């Protein structure tokens, strides 16, 4: 049952935080609901959850609209966690409070342009590419300082920190440690940008032990995506 899978993940987060001498309240659970129907999100809302992640604009946009009809009395936070094409930015800004995948100049320029038409702000993580494959998206870590300065120059973006996905077939610890170093570097430029989005179903406990403040957990809670 979903309520049991949810409590089990929450317990594992709490235990991992305790092992690291951290407060589990400093770890935000973002439940990735991609490929699952809005009814499942509503069920999680009824269980007290308020942070949800999606990785495709079309699906996220429809689901967030549907949820506001189903649960019009609650405010939820939608996190956009997937690769983001510039032509989707306008739509994503309609529902997302946080974007985890800011990774390039062209996307930053489009965000700035769309935000300037509104009075809204959006929280962003700079996504790092820790693999050798440029096709995976994410910023090359050595460009972090320069890119962060450009992001910080956009007043309607709240730069939260860095985000990373551990590479396939490699020890996630190696990648997470690179992300932690990048996070420290970013904090030396912008002390408020202290958040770290890393960890998924297979590796969120390790991520919490290493300092993740946002874990993006899907299937361990929602069940398989089919
Ligand atoms: C799908 C996805 C997740 C969640 O993956 P699970 O393995 O199901 O926990 C986390 N982050 C991103 C960027 C994703 O695309």
């Amino acid at each position: 049952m979903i309520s049991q899978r949810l409590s089990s993940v929450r317990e594992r987060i709490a235990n991992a935080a305790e092992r690291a001498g951290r407060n589990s309240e400093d770890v935000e659970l973002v439940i990735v609901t991609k490929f699952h129907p809005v009814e499942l999100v509503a069920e999680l809302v009824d269980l007290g959850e308020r942070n949800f992640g999606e990785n495709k604009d079309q699906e996220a946009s429809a689901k967030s609209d549907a949820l506001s009809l189903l649960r019009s009395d609650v405010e939820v936070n939608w996190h956009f966690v997937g690769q983001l094409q510039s032509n989707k930015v306008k739509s994503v800004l309609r529902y997302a409070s946080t974007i985890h995948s800011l990774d390039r100049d062209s996307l930053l320029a489009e965000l700035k342009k769309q935000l300037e038409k509104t009075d809204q702000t959006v929280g962003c993580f700079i996504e790092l590419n820790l693999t050798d494959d440029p096709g995976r998206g994410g910023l090359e870590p050595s460009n972090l300082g320069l890119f962060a300065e450009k992001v910080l120059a956009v007043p309607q973006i709240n730069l939260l920190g860095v985000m990373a996905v551990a590479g396939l077939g490699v020890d996630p610890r190696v990648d997470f440690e690179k992300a932690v170093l990048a996070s420290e570097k970013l904090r030396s430029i912008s002390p408020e940008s202290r958040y770290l989005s890393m960890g998924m179903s297979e590796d969120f406990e390790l991520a919490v032990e290493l300092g993740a403040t946002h874990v993006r957990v899907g299937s361990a809670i929602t069940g398989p995506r089919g």
Side-chain angles (χ1 to χ4, degrees):
M1 257 176 49
I2 195 161
S3 61
Q4 280 157 350
R5 289 194 300 264
L6 173 63
S7 10
S8 153
V9 165
R10 284 223 167 263
E11 193 178 313
R12 288 164 64 193
I13 290 173
N15 290 337
E18 192 177 313
R19 284 196 293 280
R22 302 183 57 205
N23 186 342
S24 63
E25 283 173 17
D26 295 336
V27 182
E28 184 140 287
L29 172 61
V30 177
I31 305 180
V32 180
T33 52
K34 64 191 184 199
F35 297 109
H36 287 283
V38 66
E39 288 75 16
L40 177 138
V41 186
E43 213 180 324
L44 289 163
V45 166
D46 297 343
L47 291 166
E49 297 303 317
R50 294 293 181 270
N51 287 284
F52 300 103
E54 288 283 334
N55 73 338
K56 296 241 163 27
D57 170 59
Q58 205 179 5
E59 181 180 350
S61 169
K63 213 176 284 181
S64 61
D65 283 346
L67 188 72
S68 27
L69 295 177
L70 280 181
R71 294 294 181 272
S72 50
D73 50 337
V74 288
E75 284 260 339
V76 308
N77 304 312
W78 287 99
H79 297 248
F80 194 86
V81 302
Q83 274 191 44
L84 180 52
Q85 292 169 294
S86 294
N87 63 358
K88 306 288 186 193
V89 163
K90 187 176 178 187
S91 171
V92 167
L93 286 174
R94 222 173 36 81
Y95 55 85
S97 59
T98 311
I99 294 171
H100 290 239
S101 47
L102 177 53
D103 65 352
R104 59 193 191 280
D105 289 336
S106 57
L107 180 57
L108 177 62
E110 182 64 18
L111 269 169
K112 178 171 189 284
K113 177 175 154 198
Q114 295 301 336
L115 284 165
E116 279 171 352
K117 297 179 185 169
T118 72
D119 54 13
Q120 80 183 98
T121 59
V122 68
C124 287
F125 287 92
I126 296 177
E127 179 178 359
L128 301 171
N129 182 355
L130 302 175
T131 73
D132 300 328
D133 175 5
R136 281 199 64 183
L139 183 82
E140 158 67 38
S142 60
N143 296 331
L144 178 62
L146 193 61
F147 188 61
E149 298 287 0
K150 294 180 196 166
V151 178
L152 290 165
V154 181
Q156 285 168 280
I157 295 181
N158 179 15
L159 179 55
L160 296 171
V162 298
M163 178 275 215
V165 179
L168 292 172
V170 299
D171 179 357
R173 179 179 292 272
V174 174
D175 281 351
F176 287 165
E177 281 171 353
K178 287 186 207 163
V180 168
L181 282 179
S183 169
E184 283 164 5
K185 175 170 182 186
L186 178 58
R187 273 180 296 164
S188 72
I189 303 168
S190 169
E192 314 81 65
S193 307
R194 65 182 185 281
Y195 300 98
L196 176 54
S197 170
M198 66 181 191
M200 307 177 17
S201 290
E202 296 300 318
D203 51 28
F204 67 87
E205 289 157 296
L206 177 65
V208 169
E209 285 175 33
L210 295 177
T213 63
H214 292 64
V215 291
R216 309 175 310 273
V217 179
S219 46
I221 294 172
T222 62
R225 283 187 283 272

